[in-house]
């Protein structure tokens, strides 16, 4: 699929209503990845490219009533589905933003962490997109790049083979993150899970 924002929006717009029904068993994997992000009560966290909002309830539970959870996505249809996740999640401050994660309407250092499920492969300019996420996170803040299945399993699902130039491969991802202001802290790529955790430098 193209990483052009217009193509990404069109791809997800027609799939939004059925997205969660297509992947009904991913909830525990999202919750486990959120737990590994190490959020604390009172933190401010962004779900970048939040889609239908599957990460929003565990994020809200992790930061508690005093924390803030934002969800940003560039597809209105996905955000319409995400409203349901906000409504069924724990109490506290939550907001949904119609925004490209490459141009966020947030001040510098406003967040403690960013969660991005399936995000990095949809960034038109990965370094610029990850640099924008670094801009809105305080030094020492955390980034989780997550997918509920690993690269090999995802490629097989789409009838492809994984290749060394895949941006999500650790040897490619580490320098891209570093150029964008992040230090890769841990990396897991297994059939049942993909999770790269990074720390905001500076």
């Amino acid at each position: 699929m193209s990483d052009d924002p217009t193509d990404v929006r069109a791809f997800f717009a027609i799939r939004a209503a059925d997205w969660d029904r297509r992947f009904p068993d991913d909830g525990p994997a999202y919750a486990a990845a959120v737990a590994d992000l190490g959020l604390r009560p009172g933190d401010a966290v962004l779900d970048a490219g939040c889609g239908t909002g599957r990460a929003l309830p565990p994020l809200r539970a992790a930061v508690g009533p005093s924390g803030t959870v934002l969800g940003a996505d560039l597809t209105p249809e996905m955000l319409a589905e995400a409203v349901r996740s906000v409504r069924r999640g724990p109490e506290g401050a939550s907001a949904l933003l119609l925004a490209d994660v490459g141009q966020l309407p947030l001040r510098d250092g406003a967040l403690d962490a960013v969660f991005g499920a399936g995000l990095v492969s949809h960034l038109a300019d990965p370094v610029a997109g990850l640099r924008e996420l670094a801009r809105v996170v305080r030094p020492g803040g955390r980034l989780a790049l997550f997918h509920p299945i690993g690269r090999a399993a995802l490629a097989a699902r789409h009838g492809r083979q994984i290749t060394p130039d895949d941006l999500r491969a650790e040897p490619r991802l580490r320098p891209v993150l570093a150029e964008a202001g992040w230090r890769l802290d841990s990396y897991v790529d297994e059939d049942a899970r993909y999770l790269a955790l990074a720390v905001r430098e500076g």
Side-chain angles (χ1 to χ4, degrees):
M1 191 184 83
S2 167
D3 55 15
D4 178 88
T6 301
D7 294 339
V8 172
R9 187 182 299 114
F11 177 88
F12 285 108
I14 61 174
R15 293 166 172 82
D18 295 326
W19 191 259
D20 288 348
R21 286 192 288 276
R22 291 179 62 198
F23 309 105
D25 302 322
D26 289 346
Y30 274 78
V34 167
D36 285 342
L37 186 53
L39 294 167
R40 296 167 298 187
D43 276 353
V45 59
L46 170 69
D47 184 357
C50 67
T52 59
R54 284 191 280 182
L56 295 176
L59 289 170
R60 162 97 340 263
V63 302
S66 61
T68 300
V69 176
L70 304 174
D73 203 281
L74 53 71
T75 306
E77 293 84 355
M78 282 289 196
L79 285 177
E81 297 297 318
V83 168
R84 297 189 182 103
S85 292
V86 171
R87 287 179 181 157
R88 70 174 178 261
E91 290 184 15
S94 297
L96 297 174
L97 309 172
L98 180 61
D100 187 328
V101 299
Q103 297 177 314
L104 291 165
L106 300 172
R107 73 178 193 278
D108 293 1
L111 304 172
D112 298 291
V114 173
F115 184 88
L119 174 69
V120 72
S121 61
H122 297 306
L123 296 174
D125 183 336
V127 172
L130 291 166
R131 186 178 290 131
E132 174 68 353
L133 295 179
R135 180 188 69 79
V136 299
V137 172
R138 62 169 174 79
R142 310 257 299 163
L143 168 69
L145 297 175
F146 164 75
H147 200 281
I149 59 175
R151 292 188 310 122
L154 182 61
R157 177 185 286 174
H158 295 291
R160 296 183 286 103
Q161 297 287 325
I162 55 173
T163 61
D165 64 343
D166 181 353
L167 177 60
R168 292 165 294 188
E170 190 274 339
R172 286 228 39 222
L173 183 63
R174 184 181 295 275
V176 168
L177 284 167
E179 187 176 350
W182 299 96
R183 182 186 77 248
L184 185 62
D185 198 37
S186 68
Y187 181 90
V188 175
D189 182 14
E190 303 168 342
D191 279 350
R193 181 183 220 212
Y194 177 92
L195 183 65
L197 295 172
V199 177
R200 171 74 166 90
E201 299 273 49

